[in-house]
Every structure is written in C-alpha cells, then in structure tokens.
Amino acid sequence: MQSIYNYTEEMWKEYLIHMGEKPFRASQMMEWFYRHRIQNFEEMSNISKKFIAHLKENFIIDSLKCVTRQKSFDGTQKFLFELSDGNLIETVLMNHNYGYSVCVTSEVGCNMGCVFCASGMKKKLRNLTTAEMVLQVLMVSTLAEIRVSHVVVMGIGEPFDNYDNVINFLKIINHAKGIEIGARHITVSTCGLVPKIREYASFDLQVNLAISLHAPKNEIRDQIMPINKRYPIEELMDAVKYYISITGRRVTFEYILLRDINDTKECANALADLIGKENIYVNLIPYNEVIEKPYKRSKEETMRAFYDTLYKRGINVQLRKEQGSDIDAACGQLRSKHMKK
Ligand code: SAH
C-alpha cells in the first residue's frame, strides 16, 4: 500500500493514463486530497467508481501518530510524531507576525555531523518519504487548527541528502489546488551539498534557499561542519553565485553565534568580505545550547557587536530572536530526550 501523499500531480497524471483514465482528473484528485482533506476515497464524486475501487486496493489515506505536543510561552509548538515503522520525528510550529510557519524534518537522524547540533547525535536511519513530509504540514495544521502560511525545511536531516523526495514534497505543498503555500513562503536549508545547490538552481519553483554557513573561513568551518572538508567555502560560494545567477533570487546565510569560536569582530569582517552585499541576507542565530555539547551561546553584547559590524558594512542582516527554548525546540533535542527515556 502506498500513501496518497507521495504523489505529485504529475505522478497522478501518469498513473491515470496508465490506468486508462483521463489525466485531468489528477488536478481534481489534488483538490480532494488537500483542499477537502478527504479521509475516504468514496467522497470523490467526480472520479469513476472503477478507479476509486482501484485506489482503495492500492493506496491509503494515512496520517502520523502524535506522541507528544509541547507549547512554549511564546506560542511555538513542538510535535513528536511516530512514523508507521516506529521511528520518531519532530516538527515545530512557529507563530510569527506574518503567519504560521512549520519547520519540517526531512530524515530520521542526520549524517552531516555538525558538532554543535543535537540532530546529528543519531546517525541517519533513513530518508523520510514525500508523504511523511507532507503529513507533517497537514497534521500540524489540523492539530493546531491553523492555516500554515510558511514552510521551512530546517528540521532534523539534510534535505539535499534526500533530494528527490524533498522536491516532490515542495511541488505538493505549493500546488494551487492543494495546501497552496506560496513558493516564496517556502525555504529549504542546506549545510552545503554543492552539486545539489547547482541542481536546485534549475528547479522551476521560486522556492527560497538558505545556506548554513556558520563560519567565514575553512579553518573554523572544518572544525564545526565536516561537510566543509568535502565542499570547502570557495566551492560553496561558487555554487551560491551560480544559483543566484540562474534564479536571480536572494540567498539567506544562516550563522549560529558560538561563543569564542565564530563570534569575533574579525569573523564578522571576514564574513562581510566573503559574501558581499548583492542578493544576500544574513540570519544571525543565537545558539540553543545542547546539554551533551560543550558549545556556548555568545554573550548578548558579542552578538550585538557582530550584528553592528555587518550592518555598518551595508549587509542585510537580522539577529533572530530565539523561540521555544523552554520546549527543547532546538533541532533534535525533543527526539533525543524522548529516546533516552
Ligand atoms: N541540514 C540542514 C537543515 C537542518 S538544520 C542545514 O544544515 O541547513 C537547520 C539549522 O539549524 C541549521 O542552520 C543548523 O546549523 C541550525 N542548528 C542546529 N543546531 C542548532 C542549535 N543547537 N542552535 C541553533 N541552531 C542550530
């Protein structure tokens, strides 16, 4: 049995043709599955009885089991979901002034091994299917009774290490007859898988790209992000420039401030030299400390100073305020706590 949520409109079209049905039914099916959120194939009044019978035998309208749900004083909510094979994943809902944003997990565990991150303490067990990512958005929307306006693929896992499923996920949540999240309201974040950044440049949806940079020099980045040994900063920046040249879109650089590691004035200036001012945006992130890790959040005044240096150099920069720290919302913390119990 396949989940219906694994299929993009294109995939349904091919499937319908294969079954001797009209391909335009695919668009109607998307509407039933995502706009009306049907739980029963019989509700599809404009689809033939024969095809419905076939769907019932081969597909399921599935869901995720919500194991834990935590609410923060600031409105952030964190969900721990159990997958059909018993694996656990985290999904976060953030309440911003511009709408509700869901942070989606893309893999069970992660192989990237960034030293500061709680997710990587568990190696990747498998990729999430497209359906398991789609269901995170659907389930959160249902459980919290809200309309999701933004999606960030910044939960556990490296989305570009699960590229094809992530691309199909993006097509489904963006679909006009479905959940209809605007491409410009969707962001995929990568630690820097260079060949995939280049491939993503040709993806025809106007989805945003964020790069977890976290250091302006190889000496530092090598120490905290193993991926840098495979794709050093020069190659990463070439890929980013290529992406901007093809898409014309702005790229966001994420930069966690780690005390005494990457938060000096020298680092801020090196960062400004590296990225320039054109078509880029910098998100400075206060580090969410992880019990098992030795890393500390930068001091308030250090973060301010880092911000000021970039700002004075004319860079589009924001110092992100932290959300959900009281509910272990930092990348992989809830899951790792739950697994220890
Ligand atoms: N693998 C992807 C997406 C998942 S991580 C990537 O690396 O971009 C999403 C973001 O959270 C990344 O920028 C990551 O470096 C950051 N992050 C990980 N652990 C963190 C922590 N404890 N505090 C703050 N940010 C963290």
Side-chain angles (χ1 to χ4, degrees), residues 28-54:
Q28 297 171 335
M29 288 167 69
M30 294 301 280
E31 207 166 344
W32 287 117
F33 296 154
Y34 298 103
R35 179 88 35 102
H36 303 300
R37 301 281 309 276
I38 58 159
Q39 296 301 311
N40 221 315
F41 289 115
E42 266 100 13
E43 290 175 53
M44 303 197 288
S45 52
N46 51 5
I47 304 292
S48 76
K49 291 271 175 300
K50 186 170 143 248
F51 191 60
I52 286 178
H54 175 84

Side-chain angles (χ1 to χ4, degrees), residues 103-104 106-107 110 112 114 116-119 153-160 188-192 210-214 221 225 227 253-258 285-290 293 297 320 329-333:
C103 178
V104 170
S106 58
E107 301 175 334
C110 180
M112 297 300 119
C114 300
F116 46 78
C117 177
S119 310
V153 188
M154 292 189 187
I156 297 175
E158 168 49 49
F160 282 179
V188 177
S189 175
T190 179
C191 65
I211 307 281
S212 295
L213 188 59
H214 306 331
R221 203 164 188 267
M225 299 178 73
I227 193 69
F253 288 105
E254 292 155 281
Y255 196 103
I256 306 176
L257 290 160
L258 299 164
I285 307 166
Y287 178 58
N288 242 324
E289 292 177 11
V290 178
K293 306 275 183 184
R297 167 182 303 197
R320 199 149 87 189
C331 317
Q333 287 189 32

Side-chain angles (χ1 to χ4, degrees), residues 25 35 55 132 142 154 164 189 197 201 218 225 231 239 243 246 273 301 331:
R25 300 280 175 212
R35 179 88 35 102
L55 287 173
E132 288 164 338
T142 305
M154 292 189 187
D164 296 341
S189 175
I197 295 172
N218 287 324
M225 299 178 73
Y231 305 113
Y243 172 88
I246 297 283
D273 294 338
E301 62 265 30
C331 317

Side-chain angles (χ1 to χ4, degrees), residues 131-305:
E132 288 164 338
M133 289 183 267
V134 170
L135 278 168
Q136 291 176 60
V137 179
L138 294 178
M139 295 293 301
V140 166
S141 163
T142 305
L143 292 170
E145 298 177 37
I146 47 102
R147 162 153 166 62
V148 176
S149 63
H150 290 67
V151 167
V152 293
V153 188
M154 292 189 187
I156 297 175
E158 168 49 49
F160 282 179
D161 200 23
N162 181 14
Y163 191 79
D164 296 341
N165 291 347
V166 167
I167 291 293
N168 284 342
F169 161 70
L170 300 175
K171 288 180 184 166
I172 291 173
I173 59 169
N174 173 252
H175 194 276
K177 291 275 172 69
I179 311 174
E180 208 186 355
I181 296 168
R184 287 190 177 79
H185 289 179
I186 303 173
T187 303
V188 177
S189 175
T190 179
C191 65
L193 298 188
V194 162
K196 292 298 174 194
I197 295 172
R198 291 179 176 271
E199 194 174 337
Y200 189 64
S202 309
F203 178 44
D204 50 11
L205 295 187
Q206 309 254 307
V207 183
N208 302 307
L209 174 66
I211 307 281
S212 295
L213 188 59
H214 306 331
K217 292 181 196 152
N218 287 324
E219 300 97 272
I220 304 173
R221 203 164 188 267
D222 276 344
Q223 307 280 319
I224 57 175
M225 299 178 73
I227 193 69
N228 199 63
K229 296 201 174 117
R230 197 145 117 227
Y231 305 113
I233 288 177
E234 303 73 42
E235 285 181 38
L236 177 58
M237 291 309 294
D238 280 349
V240 168
K241 278 182 198 135
Y242 172 80
Y243 172 88
I244 293 172
S245 74
I246 297 283
T247 63
R249 288 200 290 279
R250 190 168 78 167
V251 168
T252 299
F253 288 105
E254 292 155 281
Y255 196 103
I256 306 176
L257 290 160
L258 299 164
R259 191 184 299 179
D260 299 331
I261 291 184
N262 65 357
D263 62 353
T264 59
K265 184 161 187 175
E266 193 199 341
C267 279
N269 276 313
L271 179 62
D273 294 338
L274 178 72
I275 60 181
K277 287 187 268 197
E278 296 299 312
N279 280 314
I280 60 99
Y281 188 85
V282 176
N283 233 336
L284 296 176
I285 307 166
Y287 178 58
N288 242 324
E289 292 177 11
V290 178
I291 279 175
E292 295 87 345
K293 306 275 183 184
Y295 304 97
K296 293 269 167 269
R297 167 182 303 197
S298 297
K299 294 207 175 77
E300 206 59 47
E301 62 265 30
T302 315
M303 296 200 274
R304 260 294 128 208

